[in-house]
Amino acid sequence: MSWQDALPTVRGRLLRDEPLAPFTWLRVGGPADVLFLPQDEADLADFLAALDTAVPVTLLGVGSNTLVRDGGVEGVVIRLGKAFATVEPRGGSRIFAGAAALDANLAREAAKAGIAGLEFYRGVPGSVGGALVMNAGCYGAETKDVLVEAYALDRAGRRLTLSNAELGYSYRKSARAAAEPLVFLGGLFEGRPDDPAAIMARMDEITARREQTQPIREKTGGSTFKNPPGQSSWKLIDEAGWRGKPFGGAMFSPLHANFLINTGEAAAADLEGLGEAVRADVHAKTGVELEWEIKRIGRPASA
Ligand SMILES: Cc1cc2nc3c(=O)[nH]c(=O)nc-3n(C[C@H](O)[C@H](O)[C@H](O)COP(=O)(O)OP(=O)(O)OC[C@H]3O[C@@H](n4cnc5c(N)ncnc54)[C@H](O)[C@@H]3O)c2cc1C
């Protein structure tokens, strides 16, 4: 009997061979062996506790930083829904947000409650779960600056409360999340009091700036590579001649040279292949090793 025939009983939905491309911004890639959409936290915890520990588990937020390879994803992919998307002020400039809430929603609710400091989330098109893993941020602010603590389940379904320090944040990384498979349930954030209208005005500025400088209506994964210390990836890509150069159905955006875009019918292999070609070329020309910021998950098509 295969592991797929011995899945725990759930109250949510278990979908076999479910295409993942529609769940990602880049709109490429194959299916999940199994996609689990838990009903609520207890359903998720029970599932993790009962699932064979040999089965790999992968979390997907809203897929704004993920490239799913063409052969699909082995094991169980988990996507959190409405039951995990609560956003509510908790008093004293603190606000809770569930992992499935959009960052923009967290920013908006914080602004309405007169909590300043979270407006940068207006510029990040991901979910709170993705932000907790990626230490998402922009314009000089990041998750590390505003997070009090995060709530997660471990692979065995046990609930953990992790302080900001325990998450070991650095540039677009949590050392703790990289070391151990965690399912984030949400986070408690803290800002400072300010006038809601002034916060909203700052959020509007962020929206306008984004529209002008990033291809936010394209099929993209945001910044493809992390910025090497003291350097800008977009500049290295631009200077190596890759800005706007077509490569199958893939291209580094003419508007922002570090944004990889699917211009039409790209396969995941085209996008990843272009990224690798650019890494090799930039390395040959400058000696700089670009590091992927986009998470690439799954198997290549031939596997
Ligand atoms: C147009 C555009 C602009 C962007 N601009 C920025 C920016 O300014 N700053 C920035 O930081 N990022 C930016 N990004 C990248 C992206 O939005 C962030 O990395 C975001 O935090 C990813 O969230 P997500 O929900 O899309 O995560 P996904 O892409 O779905 O997943 C990213 C990682 O988080 C993990 N994950 C997601 N949810 C959970 C969970 N509940 N528990 C455990 N693990 C989880 C996934 O397994 C994966 O490893 C941009 C992307 C786009 C497309």
Side-chain angles (χ1 to χ4, degrees):
M1 191 163 73
S2 86
W3 65 269
Q4 275 137 305
D5 299 319
L7 287 168
T9 305
V10 297
R11 286 180 287 110
R13 298 174 72 198
L14 285 170
L15 306 167
R16 280 151 219 269
D17 286 325
E18 184 67 16
L20 292 176
F23 294 119
T24 71
W25 272 57
L26 284 165
R27 292 284 190 275
V28 294
D33 287 348
V34 171
L35 178 66
F36 177 36
L37 308 172
Q39 180 83 14
D40 52 33
E41 184 183 327
D43 193 28
L44 176 57
D46 291 347
F47 176 83
L48 289 169
L51 183 69
D52 181 345
T53 51
V55 178
V57 168
T58 305
L59 262 290
L60 194 59
V62 294
S64 63
N65 201 56
T66 297
L67 184 149
V68 177
R69 294 196 177 103
D70 300 308
V73 181
E74 190 187 353
V76 177
V77 174
I78 300 176
R79 198 161 187 274
L80 306 181
K82 243 188 182 163
F84 300 86
T86 306
V87 179
E88 60 184 23
R90 292 279 164 90
S93 292
R94 289 186 168 193
I95 185 163
F96 167 84
L102 290 177
D103 295 334
N105 198 22
L106 169 58
R108 195 166 39 245
E109 293 304 315
K112 277 201 240 162
I115 302 170
L118 279 73
E119 44 276 44
F120 72 91
Y121 278 130
R122 180 65 192 83
V124 185
S127 67
V128 166
L132 292 170
V133 171
M134 299 301 300
N135 187 20
C138 56
Y139 305 132
E142 58 186 6
T143 298
K144 180 176 185 274
D145 303 331
V146 291
L147 183 76
V148 178
E149 60 191 22
Y151 314 104
L153 298 177
D154 68 12
R155 177 62 181 78
R158 288 178 294 243
R159 199 177 209 275
L160 309 172
T161 297
L162 298 162
S163 68
N164 183 318
E166 284 172 311
L167 287 158
Y169 281 127
S170 57
Y171 172 51
R172 301 292 172 263
K173 184 176 176 185
S174 155
R176 180 68 183 258
E180 180 189 357
L182 292 173
V183 180
F184 284 103
L185 301 167
L188 182 65
F189 299 82
E190 182 163 28
R192 52 180 197 283
D194 197 359
D195 172 32
I199 304 170
M200 293 281 189
R202 289 197 292 274
M203 276 168 51
D204 289 345
E205 278 170 32
I206 289 174
T207 309
R209 201 161 150 187
R210 288 268 136 170
E211 299 257 351
Q212 283 161 16
T213 57
Q214 292 184 359
I216 55 172
R217 291 182 214 300
E218 303 275 2
K219 296 180 221 166
T220 177
S223 293
T224 308
F225 303 114
K226 296 184 183 188
N227 285 323
Q231 288 180 295
S232 298
S233 292
W234 72 263
K235 218 169 172 186
L236 292 163
I237 296 166
D238 193 20
E239 284 168 4
W242 290 93
R243 182 196 283 264
K245 195 167 162 182
F247 189 94
M251 181 195 279
F252 276 88
S253 167
L255 188 59
H256 190 310
N258 192 25
F259 275 50
L260 185 55
I261 53 179
N262 174 0
T263 56
E265 301 305 312
D270 300 327
L271 291 157
E272 189 169 16
L274 172 57
E276 286 301 329
V278 168
R279 284 184 71 234
D281 193 40
V282 166
H283 186 251
K285 286 174 174 154
T286 66
V288 176
E289 196 83 60
L290 291 173
E291 185 190 341
W292 283 89
E293 180 171 327
I294 289 181
K295 303 273 188 191
R296 292 152 302 139
I297 60 171
R299 308 166 278 228
S302 54

